[in-house]
Structure formats: structure tokens, C-alpha cells
Amino acid sequence: MPGPGTVAGLVAITPAAGSVDCTGAFFIGLLAGPVCFFAAQAKHRFGYDDALDAFGVYVVCIVLH
């Protein structure tokens, strides 16, 4: 099963796919992986229930781009 960092690149680039070139997509995906991975790990620190890491991946990736 892929972790949140793996899926984050696809989630981050999908809304911007029509407006960035390959280089921009590469850097968005490169940044989205680690940023969303650490955001998904925040649930352990703060103790909120997010079994699917929806906040850590989707919300943070949307804000990132």
C-alpha cells in the first residue's frame, strides 16, 4: 500500500496539470511528497483521528500549490 508521500505528488499536480510544464510538475511533485508525508504524521502528534490521511495529503497538497 503506498504511503501518503507517494500519493501526494499526484494529488498536488492534478489541479495544476493544465497550467504547468514538465519541469514545474516535477518540482511540485518533488515538494509535495515530503511536505504531505510530514503533515500526515502530525496526526500522531496532535492525536486527531484521520485513518485515511485525508487532511495530511489532500488539504496540505491543495494549499501547497
Side-chain angles (χ1 to χ4, degrees):
M1 180 171 191
T6 306
V7 178
L10 180 61
V11 172
I13 193 54
T14 301
S19 61
V20 295
D21 59 353
C22 291
T23 306
F26 175 77
F27 285 111
I28 289 172
L30 189 68
L31 289 172
V35 169
C36 292
F37 175 77
F38 288 117
Q41 298 304 314
K43 71 180 176 183
H44 300 294
R45 255 183 288 155
F46 296 114
Y48 66 90
D49 184 25
D50 187 11
L52 298 175
D53 294 327
F55 180 80
V57 174
Y58 292 100
V59 175
V60 174
C61 281
I62 288 169
V63 172
L64 179 66
H65 80 275

